[in-house]
Amino acid sequence: MAAVTQDTAVSTGRVTRTFLYVVLGVFALFYLLPLYVMGVNSVKPLAEITGGNMMALPRVWTLEPWRAAWSTAQIGIEPTGLRPYFLNSILMVVPAVAISTVLGALNGYVLTKWRFRGDTIVFGLMLFSCFIPFQIVLIPMALVLGKLGLAGSVPGLVMVHVVYGIGFTTLYYRNYYASFPTELVRAAMMDGAGFFQIFWRIMLPVSGPITVVSVIWQFTNIWNDFLFGASFGGTSQPMTVALNNLVQSSTGVKEYNVHFAGAILAALPTLFVYIVAGRYFVRGLMAGSVKG
Amino acid sequence: MGFLDISHVTKSYGQVQVLHEVDIAVQEGEFLVLVGPSGCGKSTLLNMIAGLEAISSGDIAIKGRVINGVHPSKRNIAMVFQSYALYPNMTVGQNMTFGLEMHGVPKPARDAALADVAKLLQIDHLLDRKPGQLSGGQRQRVAMGRALVRNPDVFLFDEPLSNLDAKLRVDMRTEIKKLHQKLKTTIVYVTHDQIEAMTLSTRIAVMNKGYVQQLGTPKEIYDTPANLFVATFMGSPAMNILPATVVMEGGQPHAEITDADGARRLLRFSQGNLAEWADKPILLGIRPEAITDPEGADRKSANIQPLANRVTVTEPAGSDTFVTMTLSGKDVIARMRADAMVAPGEVFDFAINMDKAVAFDPATEARIPQ
C-alpha cells in the first residue's frame, strides 16, 4: 500500500522535497519551543531564571525544582507538593475511565444487537449529554452528590466523570458495533451463548481499536478536567486543581522552575497514554465510519 | 405428521403480513429447499424455524414438540449462515466447538466430535487457523462443520453458497448433496437460485410474496408448475409463455397462436380435457428444451408438432445452442443440440414437444389441470 501511495502521489523534485522538510522542521521546532522552555527552566535554579535569559541552557543543572514540585511545594496552605493530588487524580481517573468505557461498550452492544422499541431515541438522548456544557450541570450535580453523600470525595468525582463520559463512550461503541455483523451474534445465540457470553467472548475480543479510542479520550478529558475537580473535589482535589493552586499563589516568590516542573508532571500521564496507545487512535476513530 | 412440522405459520410486522398460512411437513431425512425471489419470505420462515424471529401465529414443531417460544439454542438445530458467521477471534477448532462448550459438553467429548467432523469435511489441517486465513471454500466447510459437530435434529442453510464464485459454488453444491446422502440428515435450505433448488432438494417449496406457491418434488415443480409464477421462476432459460386460444379441430383441442402479421398457427394438445376451454384464451407454456430441431426431438414423445418460423438469433453455448424466434410478438427461446443446423434469418422447421406443454388460466394464472 505504501508503495502505491508513493507512486501515485504528486511527484516532487529534490529541491521541492528539501524545501518541504525545512518548512516542516521549522514548524516542528516552533511548536516544540514551549516544551523546551518548560524543560530547560525546570532544571535551573530560580536565580538563573530571574536573572533573565529564559532560553539559555542551565549553567547549574539541578533536579531540586522537580523534587520540590513533587513533595515539598506549598499547595494552598499545606507544604505537601503535588504528590497527594497526583494520587487523587490516579484514584479518580482509573475507575472513571474503566467504568465509563465498560458501560459504553455494554450500551453500544445493546443498542446495536439487542435492539428494542425506542432504542434510537434512547441513543439520541445519550448523545445529548455530549453537547451539554459542564457549567450548566454544576448546581444540580452538587445537589445530587450531596444527597448521595459523595460530595467532596474521590468516588463523587468518579461518578461525575462516568456520567459525563457515558455519552461519548456509548457513541464510540455503538458506531463501532453497528458495522459488526449481526449474523455472528445470531450464530452465537444458536450456539447457546447468553447475553454476557456473547459480549465477552464474541464482541469484546474484536473491540481493541475502539477501546483504545475510548480510553485515550476519557483519560485525557478526565485527567485534564479542572472545573469538576475544583467544584466537587473538596478535600480530595485532583492534580489540575493543585497545579492551579501552586502556580496561582499570590504570596511569596514565584518559583518558576518549580511551576514548570509541576506543569510537566501534570501533563506526563496523558503523554504516556498517547505514546503507548496513540498509534491505534486514528485507526480506531476511523473504524466503523466506513464499511470495510 | 412430519419430523419438522410447520402448520398455519404466519408472520406480520405491524400491519404488513410477510408470510401467509404456511403449511409444510418435512419428513426425517428430507432435503427441503425454500426458493423464491428476494422478499418472498423464505429467509423469514427459516429464521422462524431457527428461533431468531418470533412466530406471529401458527406452530412449528420438531419431532412433535412445539418450539414456538423455545430459545434458539434449545431447539437442537444448527444453522449455516450466508456470511458463514465464523467468530473472527477464534481458531477453526474453537469456532466449531463453541456451541458444544456453551452446552456444557466436557472437553474430551468436544475434541472427539471435532476430530470426527474435521475428518469428514477434510479440514483437520486447518483447525489451528483463524477464519481470516481461510479461503472462501474453506470457510464454507468450517461453517458446515460447526453445524455438524452439534449433531442437531435439523440443519438450516441460509443461502450458503451465494458468496462463492461460480466454479466453487458448483463444487460445494455437489459436496452438500454428497454429505446429505451420507448422513441422511433433515435439511431446510434457503436459496434464490433455482438450479441449487432443483439439484439439491428432495422437495421444493416455491415461495412468492409470502405465499407458498407450490410444494413438491423437483420433477413435479418443473413439469407441472402450479401457476405462472412457478413456471417462469423455475428453469433457465425461463419457460416460454404465449397467449393462445383453444380451438377444436377434428375433435381435438389445439392452441391457436396468432402472429403479429395475422398468420395463425395451430398446435395440437396432447390432453383432451382442454376441450372445455374451447374458444377461450389461455397462456401456453413451453419449456425451451421442448422446442428443438426435428432430429433432436424427444423420441418418446407421442405428440411432436411441427412449426416453421424465422430464426432471429442463435446463441451457441457449447453444450447447447439457444435459438430465438418470434411468435405472437414475443421472443421464444428454443434449446437445441449444439450441432443443430440453424442459421439466423432463415426459416426453420421447429419441432415442438406438446406432451410437455402446459396451459394457464390467464385470469387466475393457475395451471389448467390436464
Side-chain angles (χ1 to χ4, degrees), chain B residues 20 38 42 69 99 103 118 136 158 165 191 202 231 260 268 271 280 308 318 325 352-354 356:
Chain B
H20 305 264
S38 32
K42 55 189 193 297
H103 280 85
D158 186 8
D165 60 62
T191 180
T202 57
R268 182 168 63 81
Q271 303 85 353
K280 286 185 193 155
M325 60 170 148
I352 300 185
N353 180 0
M354 286 299 283
K356 294 279 189 184

Side-chain angles (χ1 to χ4, degrees), chain B residues 192-219:
Chain B
H192 61 263
D193 179 359
Q194 43 92 17
I195 295 175
E196 266 175 43
M198 292 293 293
T199 50
L200 286 170
S201 67
T202 57
R203 271 203 302 164
I204 299 177
V206 183
M207 299 181 65
N208 190 33
K209 294 181 179 159
Y211 290 95
V212 175
Q213 304 284 334
Q214 189 174 6
L215 176 64
T217 63
K219 191 167 169 49

Side-chain angles (χ1 to χ4, degrees), chain B residues 169-247:
Chain B
R169 193 179 304 176
V170 175
D171 293 348
M172 288 310 291
R173 203 170 70 200
T174 317
E175 197 131 335
I176 292 177
K177 183 139 194 174
K178 271 189 206 158
L179 210 59
H180 177 247
Q181 283 172 355
K182 194 192 280 182
L183 302 173
K184 305 264 187 289
T185 48
T186 311
I187 295 178
V188 181
Y189 185 108
V190 162
T191 180
H192 61 263
D193 179 359
Q194 43 92 17
I195 295 175
E196 266 175 43
M198 292 293 293
T199 50
L200 286 170
S201 67
T202 57
R203 271 203 302 164
I204 299 177
V206 183
M207 299 181 65
N208 190 33
K209 294 181 179 159
Y211 290 95
V212 175
Q213 304 284 334
Q214 189 174 6
L215 176 64
T217 63
K219 191 167 169 49
E220 284 166 7
I221 299 270
Y222 195 75
D223 289 344
T224 55
N227 55 38
L228 203 58
F229 173 80
V230 177
T232 48
F233 187 77
M234 302 301 287
S236 173
M239 181 186 268
N240 300 297
I241 304 291
L242 295 169
T245 311
V246 178
V247 295

Side-chain angles (χ1 to χ4, degrees), chain A residues 114 180-195 197-198 200-206, chain B residues 47 50 52-53 71-73 77 79 81-90 98-99 101-103 146 150:
Chain A
W114 297 81
F180 186 92
T182 303
E183 279 198 345
L184 278 177
V185 176
R186 293 183 151 198
M189 269 172 74
M190 299 198 64
D191 271 342
F195 178 87
Q197 273 169 324
I198 294 175
W200 191 249
R201 300 280 302 267
I202 312 290
M203 310 287 290
L204 270 193
V206 295
Chain B
N47 284 339
L52 299 171
E53 298 214 29
H71 190 267
S73 65
I77 48 175
M79 185 151 166
F81 290 87
Q82 183 172 7
S83 66
Y84 317 136
L86 301 176
Y87 312 125
N89 55 310
M90 299 184 202
F98 185 70
E101 189 190 333
M102 289 296 120
H103 280 85
R146 189 170 65 179
R150 291 178 44 197

